[in-house]
Amino acid sequence: MLEPFKERIYVTRPVFPTIEEVTEKLRDIWDSKWLTNNGPQHTMLEHELKNFLKVPYLSLFNNGTIALMVACQSLRLSGEVITTPFTFAATPHVLSWNNITPIFCDVDAATMNIDADKIESMITPHTTAILAVHVFGTPCDVEKIRDVADRYGLKVVYDAAHAFGVEIGGNGIGNFGDISMFSFHATKLYHTVEGGALVMKNEHVKQRIDLLKNFGIKNEEEVVMPGINGKLDEIRAAIGRIMLNYVEDERLKRIRLHAIYDEELADVDGVTLMPTCADNVKLNHQYYVVRIDEKIFGRSRDFVYDEFRKFNVFARKYFHPLCSEFTCYRQLNSSRAENLPVANVIGQQVLSLPMYGGLTEEHVRKICAILKSFRRRN
Ligand SMILES: *Cc1c(COP(=O)(O)O)cnc(C)c1O
């Protein structure tokens, strides 16, 4: 008989630096007498992250959502923006806060990312951009998206909140599109407690973004645009500098756990594992997501989710409900289920399993054994 875990196993756990490392950095900040507004920690973290992510320009933010709002402002997006319903609420909300209508495009059945082949059919005279998400760190079809955007003169913005450190052929994922956003929220692979960044191709765009995130203040005499407060403070920038030393170790631990999940679940009928990517793609293994096909597995995703809780396993239904099902978006024409057949199936099937460096191999094997015990053969 499988016993429940003694302690609760959550879907993720933030990576903590040692308290000593934080105390040491806090001393530096106290000595500097500088708490926010482009201090030394901020400057150093921007530089270090730019190198880590292999991108030419980067601006830090107090969170990923404000960063994405500023990205839309900086590109002067308006009208309609084509995006995916299979994402975190922040993605379409950022469009709404910019008075832009999100237009939901269906997703690809394998990658769960926006289906690049369907984008063209969603374009209208009001379309100004594509806002795509590298869901669970799997890269979007960046070539096809660039192609359709170029043919219609659209901007491309990536929500790369899940894709920290992901590379295609040695090229940082942030180099695709006009602007990419990273989130440094505590639950992400790399974090600054709360925080985020935009990465961009040229200095001119960075200058505009840096004005927008600081109230549009150019100097003591001039305020040149209606900006917002998107600044990251020195304390969180310092924690971010420490966390850069942890990210590769955490990634390697997750690669190992990922392989154990794959091994244990490979032959379970009705369970689809994470998509495999081209050999030249470096993934970050932030999440481990399966899909449960009720017809084959004999049990629904919701059944599995509920039963897991009895074993003290707190999996999460990322992303369910779809953004197109939210009360604030479901009246949109593009939210109709007929427009989003693949996303609607995936939304009923996905389940994020526990994934963080602190899990042991035994934890993962037991989680898999519990999952397999739910299966009902016909
Ligand atoms: C975490 C996340 C965000 C928001 O980032 P915050 O830093 O929490 O504001 C946006 N999009 C996706 C896909 C995310 O997972």
Side-chain angles (χ1 to χ4, degrees), residues 75-275:
L75 296 171
R76 299 177 175 86
L77 303 186
S78 63
E80 298 175 355
V81 169
I82 297 169
T83 190
T84 170
F86 190 69
T87 182
F88 182 58
T91 317
H93 285 354
V94 155
L95 298 173
S96 289
W97 275 61
N98 276 286
N99 263 318
I100 294 165
T101 307
I103 303 295
F104 295 114
C105 176
D106 206 7
V107 302
D108 177 83
T111 63
M112 299 180 267
N113 286 328
I114 192 166
D115 185 341
D117 289 325
K118 290 192 182 143
I119 292 174
E120 190 163 2
S121 68
M122 312 294 295
I123 296 173
T124 76
H126 305 293
T127 311
T128 54
I130 300 162
L131 171 54
V133 184
H134 303 297
V135 176
F136 308 134
T138 306
C140 290
D141 191 336
V142 291
E143 301 297 332
K144 268 193 194 153
I145 291 173
R146 173 163 47 204
D147 175 66
V148 64
D150 284 352
R151 280 188 288 117
Y152 287 86
L154 306 177
K155 301 285 187 195
V156 177
V157 178
Y158 283 108
D159 176 337
H162 295 178
F164 188 88
V166 171
E167 296 178 6
I168 304 177
N171 197 4
I173 193 76
N175 291 297
F176 300 94
D178 294 279
I179 298 178
S180 293
M181 176 277 278
F182 292 92
S183 165
F184 305 149
H185 183 259
T187 57
K188 306 296 205 266
L189 182 75
Y190 166 81
H191 74 84
T192 61
V193 184
E194 292 260 9
L198 292 179
V199 304
M200 60 297 283
K201 291 191 174 92
N202 64 61
E203 197 173 1
H204 173 74
V205 177
K206 173 165 164 69
Q207 280 168 357
R208 192 171 153 74
I209 283 169
D210 285 344
L211 281 171
L212 281 166
K213 79 170 190 191
N214 186 30
F215 314 99
I217 297 174
K218 189 173 173 191
N219 55 46
E220 285 181 41
E221 300 295 330
E222 291 173 280
V223 177
V224 294
M225 55 184 85
I228 198 164
N229 182 356
K231 291 174 279 115
L232 187 73
D233 61 79
E234 287 291 280
I235 295 176
R236 287 183 292 165
I239 290 177
R241 295 187 62 218
I242 300 168
M243 296 314 295
L244 268 178
N245 300 323
Y246 283 80
V247 62
E248 185 58 11
D249 181 55
E250 179 68 16
R251 193 180 81 92
L252 293 174
K253 284 179 181 158
R254 293 189 195 201
I255 288 180
R256 225 181 119 246
L257 300 174
H258 190 121
I260 297 164
Y261 270 124
D262 276 356
E263 178 198 319
E264 290 283 345
L265 300 177
D267 300 320
V268 183
D269 292 334
V271 176
T272 304
L273 308 184
M274 291 200 68

